[in-house]
């Protein structure tokens, strides 16, 4: 399987980083500066939101493709599993950085944000959460596939041992 299949797109990575940077920057402005900084902030976050939503849809499509393929386990190998873990780690770290930045911004007594800025921050947090959940769903599917394979292998090994013991019991024992 192509490892790019389980990678976050460069647009999504850039958008997540831009959103974190924009949120951290808006928290450093004074109240008067926040009014003038709101428009570029909203523009940046709206572009990021769109990119993250597209990426989430892509991950949901990947999940659908895997589930409906003839050989779903063919999508998962060691290399793609590592790429999948990297995508999960990146989305989780972006989600955590956004949480930290937004908590710091909301808890600051010096920062007064407009309602539209607060709304877009909430939308951003939800979008990143949905992206992480989409990636997590693919990981859960992979884990189920690995579990099914290990169960199949275990049952095959148990069957082979049972056949061996049956053969031994039917083989006449020669006493000397």
């Amino acid at each position: 399987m192509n490892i790019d299949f389980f990678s976050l797109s460069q647009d999504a990575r850039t958008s997540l980083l831009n959103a974190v940077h924009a949120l951290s920057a808006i928290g450093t402005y004074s109240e008067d500066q926040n009014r003038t900084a709101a428009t570029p902030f909203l523009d940046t976050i709206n572009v990021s939101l769109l990119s993250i939503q597209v990426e989430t849809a892509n991950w949901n499509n990947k999940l659908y493709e895997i589930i409906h393929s003839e050989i779903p386990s063919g999508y998962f190998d060691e290399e793609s599993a590592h790429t999948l873990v990297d995508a999960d780690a990146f989305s989780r770290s972006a989600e955590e950085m956004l949480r930290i930045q937004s908590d710091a911004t909301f808890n600051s007594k010096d920062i007064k944000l407009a309602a539209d800025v607060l709304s877009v921050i909430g939308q951003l947090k939800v979008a990143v959460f949905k992206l992480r959940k989409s990636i997590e769903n693919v990981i859960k599917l992979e884990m189920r596939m690995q579990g099914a394979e290990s169960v199949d292998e275990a049952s095959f090994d148990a069957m082979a041992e049972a056949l061996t013991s049956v053969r031994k019991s039917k083989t006449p024992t020669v006493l000397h």
Side-chain angles (χ1 to χ4, degrees), residues 23 26 41 45 98 102 105-106 113 116-126:
L23 187 56
I26 201 154
F41 171 79
I45 298 300
L98 284 171
S102 63
T105 302
F106 294 150
L113 299 175
D116 55 346
V117 172
L118 294 173
S119 174
V120 81
I121 291 171
Q123 292 172 23
L124 177 65
K125 289 173 69 175
V126 169

Side-chain angles (χ1 to χ4, degrees), residues 144-160:
R144 274 190 271 151
M145 296 279 203
Q146 287 178 351
E149 287 176 9
S150 64
V151 168
D152 290 345
E153 289 172 10
S155 63
F156 178 76
D157 291 343
M159 180 60 113

Side-chain angles (χ1 to χ4, degrees), residues 28-92:
T28 61
Y29 298 127
S30 68
E31 187 175 346
D32 292 335
Q33 290 172 322
N34 272 335
R35 288 191 189 105
T36 58
T39 301
F41 171 79
L42 291 172
D43 292 343
T44 299
I45 298 300
N46 284 326
V47 168
S48 294
L49 268 172
L50 180 61
S51 179
I52 292 165
Q53 290 166 343
V54 166
E55 186 73 10
T56 302
N58 289 340
W59 279 90
N60 290 333
N61 291 339
K62 290 173 188 180
L63 182 64
Y64 181 85
E65 180 181 329
I66 294 167
I67 290 171
H68 290 63
S69 73
E70 290 183 19
I71 306 171
S73 60
Y75 284 85
F76 303 105
D77 59 16
E78 189 173 327
E79 195 172 8
S80 65
H82 289 299
T83 305
L84 188 55
V85 168
D86 289 346
D88 182 55
F90 195 91
S91 67
R92 285 179 185 276

Side-chain angles (χ1 to χ4, degrees), residues 121-133:
I121 291 171
Q123 292 172 23
L124 177 65
K125 289 173 69 175
V126 169
V128 173
F129 170 78
K130 287 180 179 180
L131 174 61
R132 182 183 57 81
K133 290 304 280 183

